[in-house]
Amino acid sequence: MADDELDAFRESWKRELTCKKDEQRPAGAAPPSWDVPGQSGPRDSKNRYFEDLKNVTKASSPLKAEEDGCTEDEGCAGEEGGKAPEETEDQPEYVSIARSLLDGRTSPLLDRIQEERTRRKRQYHNRTNDCSTSLQQQLQPQRKVKRDKELVDQLIQDLNEVNDIPFFDIELPYELALKIFQYLDCTELGRCAQVSRAWRVLAEDSVLWFKMCTREGYHQDASVSDSPCWKSTLRDCRNSAKTVSSNWKNRVGSISQLQFELGKVLCDVSSCDNFVLAGYTSGDVRLWDTLHWDSKASFLKPNSLSAYTDPRPHVSHVQVNSTVAAAAYEDGCVDLWSTETGGQPLYHYQSPGRIQALALSPDSPVLGSAAGPDVRLDAADDCGYWRTVCRAQLSKTVESLVLVPGRGQQGPLAALAAGEAVLLLDPRDDEPRTLHSVYGHPITCLDASDSDVALGVKRTGWAMHDGGNKIHVYSLETGKSAACVGNSPGDFTCINLRDSPPHLLVCGNKDRRVRVFDLRAGSSVASLYAHHLGVTSVQADDWKIVSGGGEGLVCVWEMRMGAKLWEMHNRHPVRHVSFNTSNLVTANIPDDKSPRGACITDDDLTAHRRHRGVICHYDFSEDALSQDHILPICRSDFTESYGYNYNISLTVPYDRLSGSHPSH
């Protein structure tokens, strides 16, 4: 180091030490000897240098004392007579570092470097901790959600550990808690059964599952005590319903033809539940119970007047429900039988003319008939005796008659179609009420449900340019029009409102189409091109449609897809189609009621089998794996020369490559 730089370094040290001592020197104390004017000189400068050097050495003495094991409490003194510890503690930090360097020691400098490294590490860790703290604050909502989930899990665990739920077992009676649970469905009841033992007892109560079973349409007439476990009963019913639906779609089931071997022609057919009623040109009426084929009520005897008439009059109309069966003859007689006992008629009356329309209420013992313009309603009283409750005479001939279902204690109500008018006949009114009447627009078809009446209106002349034929739906409560649907050039031939799903109406038309309308929106749900000779009969439920046509074809449709599932054909027009969950009844009734024999030169009046008509009963609820439950047309083994009941010659295909000839 140069002399000038060494002098400057010494002067800076001197000034710093002087300033430090001046700050710590007591009041009235004399300044150091080198600050007194007039005492400076070469020798004084030399002495001051060594004094400064001694002061620096003394300042570093505490560090050296610590290294030697001495402490301030032990009173260790510094070099050159030693000074008080407070004098060395007042020295700056760099003084000790400089003294250590002058003495040849480097440990204080290394300690300083280590302290600096420690300080930087501490600063880095502080910054890292700040970042992690801010990140934790951002993730605090997620941790809160997790904490909530943990609380919910803990609550469920606590509920599982206890045996009783105070809210339902102490504060609420069992009946009231059961009433709360009745608003839950099957899935929700299953979840509640996993909460605790008390909730499981409530969720598996037989009353809940019994109400759920009846609400879904199973075992409507059963009571709670009829099944030990209604939960299992509902499960079995649902599985059976799935099997039946699959059998419907795949045409898997049994088919039987209901034949009455007297060689006469079929006139009319009606069915309800498990009963099928048929009338023939011979005057005979036959009743089948599809659940009990050997029922004693199969043969229904005519009244005494018709029994001795020769020839006996033809049966014109038949109607049946779950309790009674009725038949009208060409001579105006009407007979009524019990479906349980059969035998002799329970009730009989004679009309002055031919019966044009006959109707039987599906859920009550009420019978309506119309002969020309005369209409009468007969009903059974509380003791079971039948009597006439209402008579009316209209200005025009009654063409169709339907009884409104679901009346109960309100009394019977009939809807009549006569010419261009539709009227309501109520025994409590003095005369029929007009529901609909438009001059020049005749009524083509009629049907009624428990709340509405639907009628097809034919538009002719100038009215054809006003949208074509329509279907009007009137409310029985208000007597006003509830909907008007349809826009077809053809006449509507059949309407089924009573058996259709809620807010839906299915109908058939002469334009070969089956249509389904939504009465709430007034729009078409489905339009199916079905029968080339017009639709004659139709019925639908929540997923399928069954239609019959004038060409003898019965078609089963899937409503949502609008696709035909399968079809069956017979010779004569389909005049009756009725189905329930697992059974289907169809009737092909010939138009010609007086055919000749098998040969035109034959004088035998016994009709050939192909002229008689046919009643088919399909059952889709049986085991599909059994060979007997496959439809007969599907059981042909191709070994017979004629197909089943179709008179179609079957030929064996030949192999063209082998050059063999076909064999007939």
Side-chain angles (χ1 to χ4, degrees):
M1 182 181 291
D3 295 337
D4 296 338
E5 294 178 356
L6 183 59
D7 293 338
F9 180 74
R10 290 174 178 174
E11 290 295 330
S12 63
W13 272 22
K14 187 186 300 183
R15 285 194 297 269
E16 290 179 3
L17 294 174
T18 302
C19 293
K20 190 70 176 178
K21 288 185 177 182
D22 289 340
E23 292 176 359
Q24 296 181 359
R25 187 174 55 198
S33 57
W34 57 76
D35 289 339
V36 180
Q39 296 183 359
S40 61
R43 186 176 180 82
D44 295 334
S45 299
K46 183 177 181 180
N47 293 334
R48 284 196 298 272
Y49 169 75
F50 286 105
E51 289 177 359
D52 293 339
L53 185 59
K54 291 179 181 179
N55 292 333
V56 172
T57 304
K58 292 178 181 179
S60 60
S61 60
L63 295 175
K64 184 177 180 181
E66 292 178 1
E67 294 176 357
D68 295 338
C70 298
T71 60
E72 294 180 359
D73 296 336
E74 294 174 355
C76 296
E79 297 178 359
E80 301 292 333
K83 288 189 178 180
E86 57 271 10
E87 293 183 3
T88 61
E89 291 176 358
D90 293 338
Q91 299 297 332
E93 186 177 3
Y94 64 86
V95 175
S96 60
I97 296 174
R99 183 174 299 220
S100 299
L101 291 175
L102 293 175
D103 293 341
R105 297 192 306 270
T106 58
S107 58
L109 183 59
L110 295 177
D111 295 340
R112 180 68 176 178
I113 295 173
Q114 187 65 28
E115 290 178 2
E116 183 66 19
R117 290 179 178 176
T118 304
R119 183 184 65 80
R120 292 181 179 178
K121 289 182 180 179
R122 189 182 299 110
Q123 185 178 4
Y124 172 78
H125 289 302
N126 291 336
R127 292 179 180 178
T128 305
N129 293 334
D130 294 338
C131 294
S132 61
T133 303
S134 61
L135 183 60
Q136 291 177 359
Q137 293 177 356
Q138 295 177 0
L139 298 177
Q140 186 175 1
Q142 298 180 1
R143 292 184 176 181
K144 184 177 181 181
V145 172
K146 184 177 180 181
R147 187 179 300 109
D148 294 339
K149 291 182 179 178
E150 293 176 354
L151 292 177
V152 172
D153 295 339
Q154 184 64 33
L155 176 60
I156 294 176
Q157 183 179 358
D158 295 341
L159 291 176
N160 289 333
E161 291 177 357
V162 299
N163 294 330
D164 297 328
I165 304 299
F167 180 73
F168 282 93
D169 290 348
I170 298 177
E171 299 182 5
L172 286 181
Y174 183 85
E175 292 77 8
L176 186 56
L178 194 66
K179 192 166 184 64
I180 295 175
F181 271 62
Q182 73 179 0
Y183 295 100
L184 305 179
D185 56 12
C186 295
T187 305
E188 293 170 345
L189 287 177
R191 292 173 179 173
C192 291
Q194 301 177 6
V195 173
S196 64
R197 294 180 181 177
W199 280 34
R200 181 178 180 180
V201 173
L202 286 169
E204 294 184 354
D205 191 89
S206 297
V207 177
L208 288 178
W209 292 98
F210 168 72
K211 292 182 178 180
M212 188 176 300
C213 189
T214 56
R215 188 164 57 246
E216 294 186 8
Y218 306 117
H219 302 286
Q220 296 287 340
D221 300 331
S223 60
V224 183
S225 59
D226 291 342
S227 175
C229 181
W230 281 103
K231 183 178 180 181
S232 301
T233 303
L234 179 59
R235 181 177 61 249
D236 296 339
C237 291
R238 286 187 172 183
N239 294 335
S240 177
K242 291 181 180 179
T243 303
V244 170
S245 178
S246 177
N247 292 342
W248 268 96
K249 295 179 180 180
N250 299 309
R251 201 176 67 170
V252 176
S254 66
I255 179 174
S256 57
Q257 293 186 356
L258 309 183
Q259 298 179 359
F260 189 54
E261 299 295 342
L262 288 180
K264 298 302 179 180
V265 179
L266 185 65
C267 293
D268 194 21
V269 176
S270 176
S271 63
C272 180
D273 296 334
N274 56 302
F275 294 106
V276 180
L277 184 66
Y280 296 87
T281 56
S282 60
D284 294 304
V285 180
R286 175 67 185 267
L287 177 67
W288 289 276
D289 187 351
T290 58
L291 295 181
H292 308 89
W293 293 101
D294 56 348
S295 175
K296 296 180 179 180
S298 297
F299 296 96
L300 305 179
K301 298 180 180 181
N303 61 82
S304 58
L305 296 178
S306 300
Y308 295 102
T309 304
D310 190 24
R312 293 173 59 185
H314 296 180
V315 177
S316 58
H317 299 87
V318 294
Q319 290 288 315
V320 66
N321 61 14
S322 58
T323 57
V324 293
Y329 299 89
E330 292 288 341
D331 59 353
C333 292
V334 177
D335 290 338
L336 190 72
W337 298 271
S338 171
T339 57
E340 295 182 359
T341 60
Q344 296 294 332
L346 297 175
Y347 185 63
H348 166 76
Y349 64 87
Q350 178 75 43
S351 296
R354 181 179 181 273
I355 301 295
Q356 299 289 339
L358 185 69
L360 189 63
S361 177
D363 53 4
S364 60
V366 179
L367 177 65
S369 61
D374 298 326
V375 183
R376 63 180 290 173
L377 297 180
D378 298 86
D381 57 14
D382 296 337
C383 298
Y385 294 101
W386 284 79
R387 61 184 180 87
T388 302
V389 296
C390 180
R391 285 178 180 269
Q393 186 174 9
L394 307 180
S395 59
K396 294 185 179 181
T397 301
V398 177
E399 299 175 354
S400 58
L401 168 66
V402 293
L403 292 175
V404 177
R407 295 289 294 178
Q409 300 297 329
Q410 300 178 7
L413 179 63
L416 312 171
E420 299 92 355
V422 174
L423 303 96
L424 295 179
L425 180 60
D426 193 339
R428 297 174 295 182
D429 298 336
D430 296 334
E431 58 183 13
R433 293 185 292 118
T434 300
L435 187 66
H436 172 87
S437 179
V438 178
Y439 178 76
H441 295 169
I443 307 301
T444 58
C445 51
L446 182 68
D447 195 23
S449 65
D450 55 356
S451 60
D452 300 309
V453 173
L455 50 106
V457 179
K458 179 180 177 61
R459 304 220 170 181
T460 59
W462 59 268
M464 288 297 296
H465 303 285
D466 191 21
N469 298 317
K470 300 285 186 180
I471 293 180
H472 294 273
V473 181
Y474 285 86
S475 174
L476 293 175
E477 182 178 358
T478 62
K480 298 181 179 180
S481 178
C484 180
V485 297
N487 183 9
S488 172
D491 300 340
F492 288 100
T493 57
C494 53
I495 298 176
N496 195 321
L497 180 64
R498 185 186 68 184
D499 302 319
S500 297
H503 310 293
L504 293 181
L505 179 146
V506 59
C507 59
N509 198 289
K510 285 185 177 180
D511 64 355
R512 312 173 185 179
R513 288 191 174 272
V514 175
R515 293 178 174 88
V516 181
F517 294 100
D518 188 347
L519 300 180
R520 295 168 295 182
S523 60
S524 176
V525 176
S527 179
L528 310 173
Y529 186 85
H531 308 277
H532 66 274
L533 291 183
V535 184
T536 56
S537 184
V538 68
Q539 185 180 344
D541 61 4
D542 54 351
W543 69 272
K544 64 179 177 294
I545 304 172
V546 180
S547 62
E551 75 286 348
L553 195 65
V554 176
C555 300
V556 180
W557 309 81
E558 210 281 340
M559 184 185 301
R560 184 177 62 88
M561 301 297 295
K564 183 186 295 185
L565 298 176
W566 52 273
E567 63 183 23
M568 293 293 290
H569 180 267
N570 279 289
R571 183 182 299 273
H572 303 288
V574 180
R575 300 298 180 185
H576 176 77
V577 166
S578 177
F579 68 85
N580 52 25
T581 304
S582 59
N583 296 318
L584 170 64
V585 177
T586 63
N588 296 75
I589 302 175
D591 293 330
D592 187 6
K593 299 298 190 296
S594 301
R596 301 296 294 177
C599 180
I600 60 175
T601 61
D602 191 358
D603 293 333
D604 187 8
L605 299 180
T606 301
H608 190 270
R609 186 174 183 178
R610 62 175 176 265
H611 299 305
R612 298 176 189 172
V614 61
I615 304 173
C616 294
H617 176 262
Y618 302 83
D619 188 0
F620 300 99
S621 64
E622 300 182 10
D623 188 5
L625 300 179
S626 176
Q627 179 68 19
D628 294 337
H629 299 158
I630 303 176
L631 297 180
I633 190 61
C634 302
R635 293 202 298 263
S636 177
D637 54 3
F638 296 98
T639 59
E640 300 177 356
S641 59
Y642 293 96
Y644 174 83
N645 218 17
Y646 286 86
N647 295 332
I648 301 175
S649 178
L650 300 179
T651 61
V652 180
Y654 63 95
D655 188 0
R656 295 181 182 272
L657 297 179
S658 61
S660 60
H661 297 283
S663 60
H664 296 276

